Amino acid sequence: MIDAFARIVDATGILTGGDIGPRYLNTRGHGVAGTPLCVLRPKTTAEVSEILKLCHARGQSIIAQGGMSGLVGGAAPLGGEVVLSLERMNQIEEFDAEGRTLTTQAGVILQTAHEYCEERGFMLPLDLGARGTATIGGVISTNAGGVRVIRYGMMRESVLGLEAVLADGTIISSMNKMLKNNAGYDLKHLFIGSEGTLGVVTRAVCRLRPKPKSVNTAFVGIDHFDDVVAFLGFLEGALGGELGSFEVMWGAYDQFVRERCPSLRPPLESGHGFYVLIETLGNDPTADSAKLEGLLAEVMDRKLIVDAALAQSEQQRAAFWAIRENAGEGFRTLGPMCTYDVSMPIKAMGTFGIRVTDSINAAFQGATTLVLGHMGDGNLHVVAAVGSGSPEIHKQINDIVYGVIRDLGGSISAEHGIGTEKKDYLSWSRSAEEIALMRALKHTLDPKGILNPGKVI
Ligand code: ZN
C-alpha cells in the first residue's frame, strides 16, 4: 500500500513511522491516538481521488484531517488508518468581488482566509477561537459555529458550493457560486457537518459579506437569568440585525477568571450572576458607538442590567474578548477537564445551569463547574473538573450533563460534532428513525465503511 501511495503523492507527501508527528495524533484530551498506517499529504483533488480509489479497492480505512482543532476526537486516528491531511491543499484559488465569493482549497487556514478577505473590504463571517489553526475544510466538515452565529449562521450558511471526493474516489464537483440553486437535492449539505464520514471535502466556494465599518463591544453585568433573556430580546429588537455576538458567562466563570487567570483583567466588579459580552457590527462609525451607549443606558435605567463597560479602543476590545476566549492559563490549573457543547431553548438555560452545577457538586466534592457560551445561539459550553478525571468520572459527568439536556429537549452537540466523544449518546438527541436514515446514507455513500470509521454513528 505504501509503495502504491508513493506513486500518487510526491516524496514529502507521505510520512511513516517516527516521521508521523504529534499533529496527526492529537486527540484533544480524548484518550490516546492509535498508530496510523501512514500520513498522506496530497496537493490536488486528483491525488485525493487516486488515494481513495486505492483505499476503496483494498478496504483500507482513511481519516481526513484539517487543522486538528476539533474538540470531540473526530479526526484522531484509532489505529491502522491512513491519515489524509489536507494541510498542503492550502491555495486560495479565486476572489470574486462582484459575486462576493472566495474559492479555496480545503487546507486554507481560517485566519488566512479572514485576512485575505478583510484586505479586500469583505469578511468571511465564521469566526472562532481556533481561527489560527482550523481550516476551511475542517470548519465545513464539522459545520463549525463560533462567535458570530447569531448574525451570520453556522458555516453551512457560508458555503455556496463545494467539491468532495467520495469513498470510491468519485469527485463530486458542486462548486456552485449562486445564492439560489434549487436544481434537485442540495448535495453539499451531505458533506457539511458529517465529520468526514460521507466524503472528503477538497475545495469550497464561500459566501462573503461586506466588512462592517464599525465594531462596538461591551461587557455587561446582570443579576438574574430572566433579565439576560430580556436583554437579548431587547438588543435584537433595537439593533435591527446589527447584533454580532451575545456571549454569556455565568458568575462562577467570572470568579474562576479572577482567581486563576492573572493575565486577564475583568472590566466590571465581581459578584454579578451573569456577565455578557456583546458586539455590534454596523456601518456608521460615528453614530454606532453612541447608539449602543444609549441603549445600554436605557436598560440600566430599567434595571435590566446593573453594570456595563464599553470598549474605547481595539486594545480594550481584545481584553474583553480575552476573558471569553483566553482562559487557558486558568484551565491548566484545573487538571483534567470534561468539556461540553450543548444546545437548548434559550429560556431553559437558567434551569440547565443550576441543575448541572448542583448535580455535579452533589456527586463530587470539590468539583469546579463553569458554564458559558453563545447564548444568543442557544448554545452553552460546560467545563467540569473533577479530581483525576478518570474514564468512570467522565462517564458519570456525561450522564449528568446529557441527562439534563435530554430532559430539556436539547442537543448533545451544538457546534463541536459527535466524533468519538459523544457517539454513545447520539440516541439521547436523535430518534431511532433519524439514526437509521443516517446509517442508510452512510451505507450508500461509503458501502465498505472506510471513511473515518468509528466516528459519529
Ligand atoms: Zn463555542
Side-chain angles (χ1 to χ4, degrees):
M1 293 269 318
I2 304 274
D3 289 344
F5 289 137
R7 287 192 287 274
I8 299 172
V9 294
D10 65 27
T12 55
I14 183 163
L15 306 173
T16 54
D19 291 339
I20 299 176
R23 170 197 171 106
Y24 308 102
L25 308 173
N26 192 351
T27 65
R28 305 283 301 210
H30 299 299
V32 179
T35 305
L37 177 69
C38 62
V39 173
L40 300 178
R41 307 189 309 145
K43 281 185 161 174
T44 65
T45 301
E47 289 177 5
V48 174
S49 172
E50 289 303 312
I51 290 165
L52 279 161
K53 266 182 211 164
L54 188 60
C55 288
H56 190 256
R58 307 270 185 101
Q60 168 63 49
S61 56
I62 180 163
I63 306 180
Q65 291 189 348
M68 298 304 281
S69 55
L71 296 167
V72 292
L78 301 176
E81 308 94 331
V82 166
V83 163
L84 182 71
S85 174
L86 283 293
E87 66 192 300
R88 294 203 302 172
M89 290 186 62
N90 58 359
Q91 300 301 307
I92 291 176
E93 296 181 346
E94 190 199 14
F95 165 73
D96 178 349
E98 288 75 30
R100 293 184 184 175
T101 62
L102 183 75
T103 304
T104 78
Q105 285 186 306
V108 170
I109 303 281
L110 182 60
Q111 189 168 342
T112 306
H114 281 171
E115 288 165 2
Y116 183 93
C117 296
E118 278 165 27
E119 283 164 15
R120 290 158 179 79
F122 288 84
M123 78 185 292
L124 173 60
L126 185 92
D127 194 17
L128 34 73
R131 61 186 72 81
T133 45
T135 60
I136 296 290
V139 294
I140 291 175
S141 301
T142 54
N143 187 29
V147 295
R148 296 253 184 272
V149 173
I150 191 173
R151 172 84 178 262
Y152 299 105
M154 296 177 74
M155 188 58 190
R156 191 182 298 282
E157 269 70 45
S158 290
V159 181
L160 291 174
L162 56 73
E163 178 185 81
V165 183
L166 301 184
D168 67 1
T170 303
I171 299 170
I172 301 291
S173 187
S174 197
M175 297 290 278
N176 170 68
K177 294 178 86 175
M178 299 163 292
L179 210 50
K180 288 183 168 177
N181 185 345
N182 275 350
Y185 301 163
D186 199 343
L187 297 173
K188 65 176 180 280
H189 293 300
L190 287 170
F191 308 104
I192 303 173
S194 52
E195 300 178 52
T197 61
L198 300 182
V200 177
V201 176
T202 45
R203 295 163 68 226
V205 181
C206 298
R207 178 185 178 189
L208 306 181
R209 316 294 178 104
K211 187 181 161 190
K213 294 190 179 72
S214 79
V215 176
N216 286 284
T217 311
F219 215 83
V220 177
I222 299 181
D223 281 341
H224 306 289
F225 181 77
D226 289 348
D227 293 339
V228 182
V229 179
F231 180 50
L232 171 62
F234 169 82
L235 283 182
E236 288 204 293
L239 284 165
E242 288 181 5
L243 185 62
S245 300
F246 192 93
E247 300 285 312
V248 179
M249 291 148 272
W250 266 238
Y253 180 80
D254 173 70
Q255 276 304 322
F256 160 80
V257 164
R258 287 169 202 273
E259 288 164 15
R260 309 260 187 154
C261 305
S263 74
L264 301 180
R265 297 269 175 271
L268 304 180
E269 295 287 306
S270 64
H272 300 303
F274 302 88
Y275 292 83
V276 187
L277 174 63
I278 59 170
E279 191 157 89
T280 64
L281 305 171
N283 281 314
D284 191 337
T286 47
D288 288 339
S289 173
K291 179 172 155 190
L292 181 58
E293 202 173 341
L295 292 173
L296 292 175
E298 185 184 335
V299 283
M300 191 132 22
D301 280 349
R302 287 165 46 190
K303 310 246 184 299
L304 214 51
I305 69 173
V306 286
D307 203 0
L310 199 59
Q312 301 298 328
S313 64
E314 180 54 35
Q315 198 183 9
Q316 251 184 3
R317 173 179 176 259
F320 288 7
W321 274 104
I323 291 168
R324 168 67 182 84
E325 291 188 332
N326 299 346
E329 60 181 321
F331 290 143
R332 281 188 285 277
T333 69
L334 289 178
M337 298 185 301
C338 302
T339 60
Y340 298 90
D341 154 53
V342 292
S343 58
M344 72 207 82
I346 287 173
K347 62 179 192 292
M349 288 180 164
T351 305
F352 173 81
I354 293 167
R355 279 182 58 187
V356 162
T357 305
D358 288 354
S359 302
I360 294 174
N361 289 346
F364 304 99
Q365 250 190 351
T368 301
T369 307
L370 307 172
V371 181
L372 69 159
H374 323 287
M375 195 184 122
D377 315 334
N379 175 195
L380 292 180
H381 297 309
V382 177
V383 175
V386 176
S388 68
S390 67
E392 295 73 33
I393 290 174
H394 194 161
K395 184 180 180 310
Q396 270 180 280
I397 305 176
N398 284 352
D399 289 351
I400 290 172
V401 175
Y402 297 140
V404 176
I405 278 298
R406 187 169 54 180
D407 291 348
L408 294 173
S411 171
I412 60 161
S413 175
E415 60 179 358
H416 294 171
I418 298 297
T420 49
E421 170 66 14
K422 304 185 181 189
K423 200 177 158 213
D424 292 345
Y425 294 88
L426 188 60
S427 65
W428 293 35
S429 284
R430 296 291 191 195
S431 68
E433 293 78 8
E434 286 176 305
I435 292 172
L437 180 55
M438 289 183 202
R439 286 192 200 287
L441 284 169
K442 169 73 176 170
H443 186 71
T444 299
L445 287 163
D446 180 17
K448 293 186 176 179
I450 62 167
L451 290 176
N452 211 3
K455 314 291 172 62
V456 188
I457 56 169

